[in-house]
Each structure stands twice: as C-alpha cells, then as structure tokens.
Amino acid sequence: MSDHLEQELKELIITTLDLEEIGSDDIDAGEPLFGDGLGLDSIDALELGLAISKRYDVKIDADDKTTREHFASVRALADFVRNTRA
Amino acid sequence: MSNTLLSPPGLLLDLPDQAVLAMHAGEPRHGQRLRQDVAALAGALAAHPARDWGLFHDHGYPALVALLALWQSGKRAWLPGNNQPGTEQALGRHCQALLGDWPRPTALPTGTVPLPAGPLDADAELVIFTSGSSGEPQAISKRYRQLFDEVAILEQAFGAGLGGAAFAGTVSHQHIYGLLFRLLWPLASGRTVHSETLQDPASVLALASAGELAWVASPAHLKRLPDDLPWASAGGLQAVFSSGGPLPEDAALALAERAGQAAIEVYGSSETGGIAWRRQGADNDDAWTPLPGVRLEPGPRGATLLRSPHLGESQPWPLADAITLRDDGRFHLGARLDRIVKVEEKRVSLSAVEQALLADPAVAEARALQPAGEQRLGAVLVLSAEGETLQREQGRAALIRRLRQRLAANLETIAVPRRWRLVAALPETGQGKVPMRALQALFKHSQARLPEPGDAHWSAADQVTVSLGVAADLPWFSGHFPGQPVLPGVVQIDWAEGLARRYFELPDGGYRLQALKFHDLILPGAELQLTLQWQASTGTLRFAFRSRQGPHSSARLVFEEPR
C-alpha cells in the first residue's frame, strides 16, 4: 500500500536532515525514526518538527507527552498530520 | 541591584520557609517543604552503606532535593548526562548505588528518621561529566564551595538585570551549565526554579507572559526558533542565557530583534567553569568579556592560560580553544586546538569515532571530520577486503547502515557520521600525510561525481599520478552519444580539476583553459592514468589522461589571481 502523505514525509525527512545516504525507498514507514531504526536524534526531532509545522501548518507542542508518539515512525507522523489538519 | 546570596554552609537552614523556591508538577514548593524533603531523603541515605551515588532525575526539583540530601548525609554525588544503559554500566565502576529515575534504582531503607538540616560541608563533592563526549566521558570533581563561588560570580555579573525572575530551562540540569543556572543559582539567590526541562520555546514564553523569567537556553534551540512564537505577550522575559557553544551571529541578531534583547552567551567548560560572556546584537562586537575574577594570559605553543577562582588548585589551566587576546582585556574565540569538535554543543572526539569505525572488520582505514560549514560529522573510509565483498554483495547503503548501527551502540547518536565517503585510498601528500584540506575537499558538493582514484604516485613535490577506472555505468555514458558512449571532454576537465583539489591547494576562483588537446576517445571500462602538475607560482595546473593505448587528453588550467 503506497500512501501519498507517507511518501511526502519521507522526502521531507531526507531533505530537511540532508540524509544523503538514504533514499525514500530505504525508509520503512513503520520503522522507528529514532534510536535503532533510522538513528535520528533530538536535534533532528527539533528540525523535523519545524519543517513539518511549516509545511502542513500544524502546531506541534514539543512539551506535550504525546508528541513523542507522533514522531515514532513515518506512519505515526502521517496519522498525526492527517488528524491535526482535518 | 543584585540579590543577596544565602551563605554557603547555612544554605539549607536559611531558606525562607514561605518563599516559593520551585514550581514542580504545577505546584509550588516552599522553603519549608524543600527542607522536609531533603531531611527525609538524607535520613534514608545516611542509613545506607553506599558512599558514591549515581544521581539522575528528569526534573529539576527532585534532582535538587537528591543532591542536597546526598551532601547532607555525607555522600558523594555523581551526575551523569543521561540514564541510558551504557551510562549506568559505566557509572557502576564508581558508584555502588543509583538514586532517581533509573530503570532499577537502589532500594532505600524505609522508616528511617529524617536527618534535620545542618550546615553543609564546604568540601561536599559532586562529580560531573564532560558534556556528551564520545568514547570515555571525563569525570570532573567539584566541591560545594567551588560551585557556590561560581554562583556568586554569576549573581555579581548578571543578577542586577534579573530582579526576582524565576528560572526556566530548555537544557538539562544533569550537565554543569544547567545545574548551575537552572538550580543552584536561583536557589541561592532566592529565585524560583521551574522544575521541568522544557523542549518547546513556546512553553518558555508562556511562562514569561505570566511573570518575570530568565531562560536558560542553548544554541541548539536558539538557532532553530519557529517564526511564529508569541514574543509580544512574553513581556516578563528578563534574560536569555546561552551556553555550550557560540551562538551563530545571524541567530543571535534574529533573537535580539524578536525578543527585544540580546542573549547573554556564557563561554566555559565543565573543567573550568564559566570564563567569559558576550551579548552579540547589543554590543556590535563579537568579542568575549572575562567574568569577574577570571584572567587570561598567553601560554606556550599558542595556547592560552586561564586563571580563575573556579579552578581550585589546577592553576593555570591551558584552554583547548585558540584565543586571540585584545588590548582592552576582551578576546576572540577560535577553533579547538585538539581533535575534539563540537556537534550541536556536544563534545565529540574524532579519535573516538575513528576507533569505533576501525573496530569494524569492514574498515581498513578511517578519518572522521566536521565538513566545513556543517555540524554533523563526515567519515572517509578505505574498506578492507571483507568490506569490499560486503559492499559488492549487499550494496553501499547496507554497509553504511551497518556501520551507523555499530557506532550508535558505542557513541552518542549525535557523534555518528552523517556523510560517508568510501575511497580506494586516503588522499596523501608526497610526505605520506593526509592533509585536512584533501579530506575536506571530499565533502564539497562539486566532488560528488568524481571517480575514486587509486594510490597516488608522487614523482615530484608538485606532480602526482593516480589511476582511475572508468565505470561503464557512469551517467555521462547514457545518451552521449547513442550507440557510441564516450566520456565527454568537459567531464574530463572537471575530473582533473576536482581531483587536483585533493592533492594541491588550488584557488577557489575560475580559470582559463589553454592548450586543450583531445587525442583519443575515453570509452566505458577504460583504465586511465591521470597526471596532475601544479605550479603555484604561476597558478597553472597541467593535466594529462593516458592509458595503455596512449595519450587521451591534456590541457593547462590557468587560475585567475584571487581578487
């Protein structure tokens, strides 16, 4: 199943974080973005948060405990963007 | 007017009963409550045999209670930067017990009698760690007296501008900067501590809309502020502190404009304490002013020596940064003198990254560096035979993923290189050195499409020959020309110039092409020898491509004088 928003988010992650070694096909929508999976860190989260709130005009409260869950994977991010925009 | 500080030994005794010392989980913590919390915990700690305790708390107030209780009960506190499994394991060499937010904290005796507050020992000890260094973090011992002296200097330097502001931070109190600025300074000067480590600048500004506030921040946050923060309603913001690394000028100016005040940057380190401060945007000067009591003097081999009240007995201290002293007593800060770089304010040892890379059997040689103008590291690797096989069978992406994962297990995530260059041989000079310029050149974007040269053979100090394989799948072969793929002449010139940058220091500007000759076509699969000769006095680069079949092309590139 290919999801348009997921694909867009993958590309946003790659361009925002300048991940030259990774193509969007290399990112599994379900894999963890932080730690073991893609290996992103808290600074990446900060930049990604800025990019996503700008692109999709959504408000991200970094001190909200649920934010961490939204950033768990590309799929979770896509759900978050969809639900927040709706 | 700055605030009056409590006396160090009497700190706990003198805390005013009714003053709000902290806001924790949405509730005020008064002096009386803090004293009770410390006494109860100190009683339990006193009844436990362990002397050295690893202390970690997500929130500031419980960390403060725990630190004071450890000191009150005559224990030594160890303050790691995080509570990850690797940290816990490393702490195990020093500590017999763990206190706070750990997966398995040490069980404390129950039903013990509270240990009433008494004078604190001026020599009570706290061990901190250098910020996020990869490899082995360095433990640094601080005495209570030393920490308190530093607080006194902060109050002297900055207190007058703060009034009764509460303190909130987007940096952790588990490092020395956050510990001093977020917890100890406000506590000793009768200001309120906001317990939670905030992530979102909007949360900080919300607090500043409700009352006077000092924000303890870092460049990582300040240079990534969203555009739409409600600055106008944050009238209570009295000061923004930034430490951990210099704030880039554009970020400093943008902040000064939006916040209506320039950030106070503090330069220092875990070992030395605070050294100097500056306010870019308020001063029109990016020089640093030494904090009260701090003296800097020229030392041997370009190093600068520091004398400071925070150093205790290890005076004078050679600084790891290149410093240019000015006649007016202020100074400019340059690059590190050692192989430590700062990645988003965290110290990273390039040697440690290289060691971790070399520990993988796929890697034969490794160099780590910070590409010019970037934060994240780059790695230049020569693969071993095993690595070559792996790359052939599983591909470059899989190989790099494997290396990233290996490194992530041993280093902080931030220290894992983000850009990778796999080369057949490290670019060496005739003297066998690998110059930084040549490694840096690999990360310039113009270098992305160069072929990988084999070993370099130097026939003179200014002349080198490298072998190049011309892979059949190069993008230039598709469509150029249909049915008869050849390597375009313009690509040959690009290769010569780009590769020459790895071996010689070429000017950045443009060049004129002279004596260009194309003798023979270069076809897919060709095995080439490229000879490069650089005459610095005339700014002339000569190149010639040859193969077994004879000469292919040659030319002179005459670089323009830099303007």
Side-chain angles (χ1 to χ4, degrees):
Chain A
M1 183 185 69
S2 122
D3 178 308
H4 182 65
L5 183 57
E6 284 178 7
Q7 182 62 25
E8 228 177 74
L9 282 165
K10 287 179 189 175
E11 275 153 23
L12 186 69
I13 290 170
I14 290 167
T15 51
T16 303
L17 306 179
D18 200 13
L19 303 178
E20 63 175 16
E21 302 297 340
I22 295 171
S24 58
D25 296 346
D26 297 327
I27 303 178
D28 182 324
E31 82 178 322
L33 292 176
F34 300 90
D36 270 356
L38 210 50
L40 305 185
D41 55 48
S42 59
I43 300 286
D44 296 323
L46 212 55
E47 296 206 327
L48 207 50
L50 279 180
I52 289 172
S53 60
K54 216 173 214 164
R55 164 84 72 96
Y56 299 104
D57 196 23
V58 294
K59 202 109 195 89
I60 298 174
D61 178 356
D63 288 317
D64 187 335
K65 301 289 174 262
T66 54
T67 299
R68 224 189 147 71
E69 292 156 29
H70 301 323
F71 277 69
S73 66
V74 168
R75 189 159 298 142
L77 263 179
D79 288 344
F80 167 68
V81 170
R82 250 190 300 267
N83 295 335
T84 315
R85 273 196 306 188
Chain B
M1 270 289 289
S2 47
N3 284 18
T4 311
L5 291 183
L6 299 174
S7 80
L11 179 67
L12 271 173
L13 296 167
D14 298 344
L15 290 172
D17 271 354
Q18 298 309 319
V20 178
L21 300 181
M23 289 299 295
H24 178 63
E27 286 175 15
R29 292 281 184 268
H30 296 91
Q32 193 179 10
R33 169 71 186 270
L34 176 73
R35 233 190 323 271
Q36 283 169 6
D37 289 346
V38 171
L41 183 56
L45 289 168
H48 194 285
R51 169 173 153 75
D52 291 277
W53 290 72
L55 165 57
F56 183 93
H57 271 288
D58 290 327
H59 296 295
Y61 177 76
L64 193 56
V65 167
L67 177 62
L68 293 171
L70 284 166
W71 282 345
Q72 180 75 53
S73 57
K75 310 287 185 179
R76 182 156 48 195
W78 294 71
L79 196 71
N82 60 57
N83 59 352
Q84 289 162 4
T87 305
E88 184 178 336
Q89 201 182 353
L91 262 186
R93 286 203 298 278
H94 310 288
C95 299
Q96 305 91 45
L98 297 174
L99 182 60
D101 298 324
W102 297 96
R104 288 175 306 281
T106 303
L108 289 170
T110 52
T112 52
V113 183
L115 192 65
L120 285 172
D121 180 1
D123 279 325
E125 204 175 347
L126 167 71
V127 183
I128 52 161
F129 294 88
T130 49
S131 56
S133 71
S134 45
E136 192 68 3
Q138 289 245 303
I140 299 154
S141 166
K142 299 274 180 189
R143 304 287 174 173
Y144 172 47
R145 160 174 42 83
Q146 249 177 312
L147 295 167
F148 202 90
D149 286 349
E150 181 143 14
V151 163
I153 283 173
L154 295 177
E155 183 64 28
Q156 187 188 338
F158 310 120
L162 297 179
F167 277 63
T170 44
V171 297
S172 163
H173 56 266
Q174 293 285 134
H175 289 296
I176 187 75
Y177 165 54
L179 180 76
L180 281 169
F181 278 70
R182 279 189 53 200
L183 304 186
L184 297 182
W185 179 16
L187 180 74
S189 61
R191 299 184 177 99
T192 303
V193 169
H194 280 285
S195 181
E196 189 178 356
T197 304
L198 299 170
Q199 294 302 321
D200 201 324
S203 312
V204 177
L205 295 191
L207 291 174
S209 70
E212 293 188 333
L213 192 81
W215 178 6
V216 183
S218 65
H221 273 94
L222 295 180
K223 67 190 186 196
R224 296 184 174 86
L225 293 176
D227 294 331
D228 56 351
L229 284 175
W231 293 103
S233 64
L237 193 62
Q238 301 294 304
V240 181
F241 293 100
S242 176
S243 191
L247 191 57
E249 191 188 4
D250 52 347
L253 298 183
L255 176 73
E257 197 193 318
R258 293 191 218 163
Q261 59 181 309
I264 301 173
E265 289 179 74
V266 179
Y267 164 57
S269 69
S270 306
E271 294 92 335
T272 59
I275 296 172
W277 61 279
R278 67 173 178 179
R279 298 190 80 169
Q280 299 184 88
D283 283 357
N284 265 334
D285 189 348
D286 66 354
W288 298 83
T289 304
L291 282 163
V294 167
R295 281 195 301 133
L296 294 165
E297 55 198 57
R301 290 187 297 279
T304 300
L305 299 176
L306 167 73
R307 291 180 194 277
S308 154
H310 321 317
L311 278 171
E313 270 139 44
S314 39
Q315 315 256 14
W317 181 274
L319 292 174
D321 297 300
I323 280 178
T324 315
L325 294 169
R326 288 197 332 200
D327 288 341
D328 63 359
R330 303 172 77 188
F331 63 88
H332 294 281
L333 196 54
R336 297 276 305 197
L337 300 170
D338 52 20
R339 291 205 76 218
I340 307 279
V341 295
K342 280 205 165 182
V343 184
E344 304 289 358
E345 292 103 57
K346 300 225 172 171
R347 285 190 212 183
V348 173
S349 154
L350 295 176
S351 309
V353 175
E354 287 166 5
Q355 289 308 314
L357 283 167
L358 288 169
D360 193 299
V363 177
E365 290 185 88
R367 290 286 191 285
L369 68 153
Q370 199 165 30
E374 297 181 21
Q375 285 280 326
R376 305 312 180 106
L377 300 188
V380 181
L381 303 181
V382 180
L383 295 181
S384 65
E386 185 178 333
E388 294 281 3
T389 310
L390 210 69
Q391 185 185 11
R392 214 166 33 245
E393 288 171 357
Q394 297 177 19
R396 175 190 161 96
L399 175 72
I400 287 170
R401 187 172 269 241
R402 157 181 155 149
L403 290 170
R404 285 182 58 98
Q405 279 167 358
R406 172 180 278 265
L407 262 55
N410 294 299
L411 304 170
E412 294 233 8
T413 318
I414 203 114
V416 177
R418 180 139 296 173
R419 302 178 63 194
W420 301 78
R421 294 291 178 268
L422 307 183
V423 297
L426 292 176
E428 292 187 347
T429 64
Q431 291 77 43
K433 295 243 164 56
V434 179
M436 182 49 98
R437 179 190 69 247
L439 294 174
Q440 284 286 0
L442 292 171
F443 290 92
K444 291 196 178 139
H445 284 289
S446 62
Q447 297 274 320
R449 301 176 101 188
L450 291 178
E452 269 319 315
D455 283 335
H457 296 283
W458 291 81
S459 40
D462 61 357
Q463 182 167 321
V464 65
T465 300
V466 294
S467 54
L468 296 174
V470 182
D473 59 357
L474 290 176
W476 300 285
F477 289 134
S478 59
H480 199 285
F481 305 94
Q484 173 56 304
V486 300
L487 191 66
V490 60
V491 174
Q492 297 175 36
I493 298 164
D494 274 356
W495 283 10
E497 189 216 345
L499 289 170
R501 289 191 182 278
R502 301 193 191 172
Y503 303 101
F504 308 112
E505 198 156 359
L506 300 187
D508 280 334
Y511 54 81
R512 278 174 292 126
L513 204 52
Q514 297 180 345
L516 178 61
K517 294 192 179 70
F518 293 108
H519 306 278
D520 198 1
L521 299 176
I522 296 179
L523 304 179
E527 295 287 336
L528 298 173
Q529 298 285 318
L530 169 63
T531 299
L532 296 161
Q533 198 232 344
W534 169 240
Q535 194 172 40
S537 58
T538 58
T540 305
L541 175 73
R542 289 184 168 77
F543 77 83
F545 284 100
R546 286 189 190 79
S547 72
R548 286 225 185 97
Q549 281 79 46
H552 288 278
S553 63
S554 61
R556 286 199 302 269
L557 276 57
V558 182
F559 284 82
E560 286 157 16
E561 286 298 310
R563 267 151 297 191

